[in-house]
Amino acid sequence: MSRPLAMIIVTKPEATEEQVQHIIDRIKEWGLKAEVSRGALRVVIGVIGPEDSIREKPIAAIPGVASVTPVLKPYKLVAREFRGMNSNVKIGPVVIGGEEIVLMSGPCSVESREQITGIASAIKKSGAKILRGGAFKPRTSPYSFQGLGVEGLKLLAEAREETGLPVITEIMDTKDLDVIEKYADCLQVGARNMQNFALLKEVGRSKLPVMLKRGMSATIKDLLMSAEYILSEGNFNVLLCERGIRTFETYTRNTLDLNAVPVLKAETHLPIVVDPTHGIGLREHVASMALAAVAAGADAIMTEVHNSPELAKSDGEQALLPDEYTDLVQRVRKVAEAVGRSV
Ligand code: PEP
Ligand code: MN
């Protein structure tokens, strides 16, 4: 089989609904995949299939087709032109990628029932829409706390039950997918696994949305190519997360690369999340970087909050206290309004 190719069909503004449906039917009849995005004036149909097979089809001859162009970028399905508009990704009932900037928050690790439900209700009161918490933790040292595992997932599901907040949690191993799917609403692929291609393919076959975090030494293009692995397996519900990269600077934990936000918004239709907590790693500066991320165009902000950071089993030095989080949300709201968004 020849290598896969992606083509973009743009319909004529005057194309009828029947014509659009006919285009889609014809594409499928040819054994190709069609990904349909409906704009106000025209419909964009992304076509994927083996290069030989696509090239020999007279796509431009189908009534209602205005143009047919190949995606020349190395990442095809994640390229902005493949959709021609922003994608919305739903986590539970929460939509990311629209006008509203979505706040995700919670502790680095799930530690106990009291801890996770306490933090979940506090962040909900402040305005968070999604609860985060690690059950399987990727720790630099094998001797550090590794997370509560399945018990942690159950506690997250209990916290969702109590607060109504959908839950995002990290997957580190393909063998955990079934159990995580049972309890969570969104999968997180962490920085350390951004190029774990077996894992990317596996989450690409999941019914859950995936938040892919940028690897600490990964370029923007590497991040987009990793996302392409997930979409190429059929899962288009992907969020990209900038969480800081390694540079020569040692004062901060990482260097939050806010350049990536406008660049990614231009390159891809996928929603962009910024994690200022891991990006800077210092509690007192997290809020400033959250504000900057909103100004730069982020669609969601992920932050770590803990009710007792000094007792946290991981990342206590960067977690905000619930009161500090409330203050952050109020300030984020003002910047969001200034850039034509809401929180
Ligand atoms: C986390 O979100 O707690 C985490 C481990 O993030 P990262 O993969 O970005 O280090
Ligand atoms: Mn953490």
Side-chain angles (χ1 to χ4, degrees):
M1 205 169 80
S2 63
R3 58 193 194 127
L5 182 71
M7 288 279 204
I8 301 145
I9 299 174
V10 178
T11 61
K12 290 180 178 157
E14 70 273 17
T16 63
E17 186 47 45
E18 288 72 38
Q19 285 179 326
V20 171
Q21 196 50 52
H22 175 71
I23 299 170
I24 298 165
D25 292 345
R26 183 65 81 213
I27 297 299
K28 290 187 176 162
E29 214 176 279
W30 283 337
L32 308 171
K33 275 196 225 154
E35 190 62 36
V36 184
S37 310
R38 290 173 190 276
L41 284 181
R42 12 174 120 219
V43 179
V44 174
I45 305 167
V47 183
I48 325 151
E51 182 166 3
D52 292 353
S53 157
I54 292 194
R55 289 212 188 272
E56 71 191 14
K57 302 290 186 294
I59 299 175
I62 311 174
V65 171
S67 65
V68 188
T69 24
V71 183
L72 298 174
K73 302 258 169 67
Y75 36 88
K76 314 231 172 258
L77 311 181
V78 309
R80 170 159 284 277
E81 53 263 43
F82 190 73
R83 272 219 188 280
M85 62 180 74
N86 290 331
S87 283
N88 287 345
V89 172
K90 270 177 93 177
I91 301 184
V94 180
V95 177
I96 304 180
E99 180 263 344
E100 182 184 344
I101 296 169
V102 173
L103 303 178
M104 313 176 174
S105 201
C108 184
S109 304
V110 180
E111 297 165 11
S112 68
R113 175 174 293 116
E114 298 66 39
Q115 178 242 20
I116 192 68
T117 49
I119 295 172
S121 44
I123 59 157
K124 185 185 176 174
K125 249 185 245 146
S126 304
K129 296 286 159 61
I130 293 168
L131 175 65
R132 63 146 285 145
F136 299 96
K137 292 303 302 177
R139 304 305 303 279
T140 301
S141 164
Y143 309 118
S144 302
F145 176 62
Q146 304 285 306
L148 295 181
V150 176
E151 184 52 30
L153 297 176
K154 291 182 181 165
L155 294 177
L156 279 169
E158 277 185 38
R160 172 182 55 207
E161 198 66 32
E162 259 187 45
T163 58
L165 295 177
V167 159
I168 175 170
T169 197
E170 179 160 355
I171 177 164
M172 293 208 297
D173 194 320
T174 53
K175 74 172 167 37
D176 299 325
L177 181 61
D178 286 350
V179 69
I180 298 178
E181 279 184 332
K182 205 166 136 194
Y183 294 107
D185 303 286
C186 183
L187 304 167
Q188 172 172 322
V189 173
R192 291 157 192 80
N193 272 314
M194 190 204 82
Q195 288 186 314
N196 179 340
F197 301 115
L199 182 61
L200 297 178
K201 286 187 195 169
E202 194 69 24
V203 300
R205 295 189 279 266
S206 173
K207 59 181 182 347
L208 291 184
V210 179
M211 183 176 85
L212 177 64
K213 297 187 89 174
R214 180 178 180 182
M216 49 193 95
S217 310
T219 63
I220 292 172
K221 186 174 162 193
D222 292 337
L223 174 62
L224 291 163
M225 291 310 297
S226 286
E228 186 78 10
Y229 268 87
I230 305 175
L231 274 74
S232 71
E233 292 295 327
N235 190 348
F236 275 66
N237 296 311
V238 174
L239 307 161
L240 302 180
C241 179
E242 165 57 41
R243 48 76 74 200
I245 50 174
R246 286 256 166 100
T247 66
F248 54 79
E249 183 55 69
T250 54
Y251 191 93
T252 51
R253 180 175 178 180
N254 290 295
T255 296
L256 186 67
D257 179 17
L258 288 180
N259 293 348
V261 180
V263 171
L264 286 168
K265 290 301 292 181
E267 282 304 304
T268 178
H269 53 85
L270 300 173
I272 309 303
V273 184
V274 172
D275 169 357
T277 303
H278 291 86
I280 196 157
L282 302 166
R283 174 185 308 131
E284 63 272 34
H285 300 309
V286 169
S288 302
M289 298 315 288
L291 300 179
V294 170
D299 298 300
I301 303 289
M302 174 179 266
T303 46
E304 287 184 347
V305 170
H306 202 288
N307 47 6
S308 182
E310 63 182 276
L311 297 176
K313 293 201 165 130
S314 58
D315 285 352
E317 62 293 337
Q318 62 186 25
L320 297 164
L321 283 154
D323 283 352
E324 294 170 328
Y325 184 63
T326 307
D327 182 58
L328 174 150
V329 176
Q330 282 162 2
R331 294 167 65 199
V332 157
R333 191 163 281 135
K334 287 190 191 145
V335 177
E337 279 160 17
V339 295
R341 311 280 295 261
S342 66
V343 167

